[in-house]
Amino acid sequence: EIVLTQSPGTLSLSPGERATLSCRASQSVSSSYLAWYQQKPGQAPRLLIYGASSRATGIPDRFSGSGSGTDFTLTISRLEPEDFAVYYCQQYGSSPPITFGPGTKVDIK
Amino acid sequence: QVTLRESGPALVKPTQTLTLTCTFSGFSLSTSGMCVSWIRQPPGKALEWLALIDWDDDKYYSTSLKTRLTISKDTSKNQVVLTMTNMDPVDTATYYCAHLVRGVISHWGQGTLVTVSS
């Protein structure tokens, strides 16, 4: 089973700053099957990035994804007030097919 | 437009069996590549994947919960059902159903909070 680790657990930043979130896999993950989601309190998660680096429909270009193999990164170039949330990475592969990371909370400094 | 809606009891007693139904629209689960998954989230905690069923009726389960889970589909009704046996207070969570295409969760239901308490 592929285990995803996210760091840091919490990232305290100010609006306008750059956020760099890490997702590390215990085994190599196909880039085609690495996604990032944003979740705000009381809401279902929302797809941000799929295929490690492709933005989902309607996602602003301040969000970008990169990485391959076991190391992936979500970058928010300039934090907007609505970006303070929890971010999860997710992989799709062999049995079991889906795992999530534990999440990174981006909160206001 | 893809939509999914979870339904089921808000409260179950310990040892009971939970049955949740996901009713969806905007896609057919008989179309190649389509999948529906169940995911849960205990209050204040992370997402946990539970089960997945695909267009070909292949089923996959969380390693840690597979002895307690059953997923099934009714293509004619556009529904996916999840049963979880022997419920415990630690199973208290918001349960989401979600639509996947090629491993990507493109749409989520709003979630349903299930509390396990006597």
Side-chain angles (χ1 to χ4, degrees), chain A residues 55-92:
Chain A
R55 275 187 300 277
T57 303
I59 301 303
D61 61 6
R62 64 180 180 272
F63 290 92
S64 63
S66 63
S68 64
T70 59
D71 289 297
F72 298 88
T73 300
L74 174 69
T75 301
I76 311 170
S77 59
R78 294 174 311 278
L79 283 164
E80 297 287 341
E82 62 268 28
D83 299 336
F84 292 92
V86 180
Y87 294 83
Y88 294 95
C89 58
Q90 172 248 325
Q91 69 84 30
Y92 178 80

Side-chain angles (χ1 to χ4, degrees), chain A residues 33 37 39 45 88 90 92 98, chain B residues 41 96 100 102-103 105 108:
Chain A
Y33 296 134
Y37 303 85
Q39 187 179 34
Y88 294 95
Q90 172 248 325
Y92 178 80
I98 294 177
Chain B
Q41 185 172 38
Y96 295 100
L100 289 85
R102 289 183 294 278
I105 303 171
W108 298 70

